[in-house]
Amino acid sequence: MQINTMKRHYPDFESYKGNEANVYFIGKIQPSETMPVYTISIHFRGDNMPHVKVIDPELVIDPPHFYHDQKCLCLYKPSNFSWSATKPIYNYIIPWAACWLYFYEVWKETGTWYGPEAEHNNNT
């Protein structure tokens, strides 16, 4: 289902099947016309939170709202939103990744993260 809906809504994204419920999507998004084009990968893992990684251009060291151990974007707080395999990647993850990249670009310019954020502790 995820592969078909992604092909329909984001035909330039390529998909690769891993084992079992693992699917990888790779494609380009641009948060706004004045911002860089980013190549991202999305690792769909069934009912587990998808991992979104920026392939190019490389992110600065230690960006905010980022899972450093997994090197992926923090798009939502898991206790505030429950991911399931039936939720379409194109409708949730792609727009959220574009928003994250937009706020990341603004943060690089201003030093302030203007996007929505949830409280974090040192372990999450």
Side-chain angles (χ1 to χ4, degrees):
M1 175 188 94
Q2 294 288 353
I3 292 172
N4 291 334
T5 58
M6 278 291 286
K7 282 182 182 176
R8 193 167 48 250
H9 294 277
Y10 291 93
D12 293 338
F13 269 72
E14 295 189 24
S15 62
Y16 304 92
K17 283 189 175 187
N19 58 4
E20 299 177 26
N22 290 296
V23 178
Y24 297 87
F25 300 99
I26 297 176
K28 297 181 183 301
I29 59 175
Q30 186 175 21
S32 80
E33 289 182 11
T34 60
M35 293 181 176
V37 174
Y38 283 88
T39 302
I40 63 168
S41 71
I42 302 166
H43 179 189
F44 172 76
R45 306 169 324 130
D47 283 334
N48 294 315
M49 176 176 28
H51 286 175
V52 179
K53 295 183 178 185
V54 174
I55 298 170
D56 187 64
E58 192 172 312
L59 298 175
V60 300
I61 294 172
D62 202 27
H65 305 289
F66 188 77
Y67 291 109
H68 296 281
D69 57 337
Q70 300 162 0
K71 297 186 180 4
C72 64
L73 310 184
C74 178
L75 301 178
Y76 62 91
K77 186 173 183 181
S79 62
N80 292 346
F81 178 81
S82 181
W83 178 259
S84 71
T86 60
K87 292 181 177 166
I89 294 270
Y90 84 88
N91 196 41
Y92 289 91
I93 301 303
I94 299 280
W96 290 349
C99 286
W100 190 99
L101 291 166
Y102 176 85
F103 291 117
Y104 166 76
E105 285 292 326
V106 172
W107 168 79
K108 286 193 324 182
E109 291 291 321
T110 66
T112 301
W113 186 271
Y114 287 103
E117 56 187 330
E119 217 176 280
H120 289 75
N121 66 35
N122 291 338
N123 299 325
T124 59

